[in-house]
């Protein structure tokens, strides 16, 4: 009787774990600790960032900095981090309009060459 109970419990546990992962995919990507200090070198290499809100599955407010396969969880109220986020948002808005202008000029140049 004991031999049948153990595999049944492990199968049930595994099923519940997979169900939990399917329903809450971000549950294991929450920051558990945050750093108050971050070097300028790391801030320069940040490719993108996410803002983690306190509530739901994650219990800390944090900024998740992504850079080449690595993540850093930092304090969202750090002045250096706030400045970096403002700069990155500004770059995103500027770069999008710049790319559009380049594509338009490329297309118009191709049309002019055909004529």
């Amino acid at each position: 009787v004991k031999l049948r109970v153990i595999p049944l419990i492990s199968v049930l546990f595994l099923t519940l774990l997979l169900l939990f992962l399917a329903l809450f995919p971000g549950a294991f990507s929450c920051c558990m600790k945050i750093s108050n200090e971050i070097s300028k070198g790391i801030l320069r290499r940040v490719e993108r960032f996410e803002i983690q809100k306190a509530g739901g599955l994650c219990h800390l407010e944090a900024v998740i900095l992504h850079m080449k396969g690595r993540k850093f969880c930092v304090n969202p109220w750090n002045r250096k981090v706030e400045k970096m986020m403002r700069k990155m948002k500004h770059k995103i808005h500027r770069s999008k309009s710049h790319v559009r202008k380049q594509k338009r000029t490329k297309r118009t140049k191709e049309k002019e060459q055909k004529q």
Side-chain angles (χ1 to χ4, degrees), residues 75-114:
N75 185 341
W77 307 112
N78 181 313
R79 287 186 182 177
K80 290 181 194 175
V81 174
E82 288 178 336
K83 187 176 178 181
M84 182 269 317
M85 289 191 304
R86 278 194 307 271
K87 280 184 176 180
M88 285 190 82
K89 283 182 181 178
H90 183 68
K91 276 185 182 178
I92 289 168
H93 294 300
R94 280 186 44 216
S95 66
K96 283 183 180 177
S97 62
H98 180 67
V99 168
R100 287 185 190 134
K101 286 179 185 175
Q102 281 183 335
K103 285 182 181 176
R104 284 186 194 139
T105 56
K106 231 181 190 180
R107 288 180 189 153
T108 53
K109 284 180 183 178
E110 288 174 1
K111 285 180 184 178
E112 288 173 2
Q113 287 176 353
K114 286 180 183 178

Side-chain angles (χ1 to χ4, degrees), residues 1-16:
V1 175
K2 287 183 182 180
L3 292 175
R4 289 184 181 174
V5 174
I6 293 172
L8 183 62
I9 291 173
S10 61
V11 169
L12 181 63
F13 177 74
L14 183 62
T15 305
L16 288 174

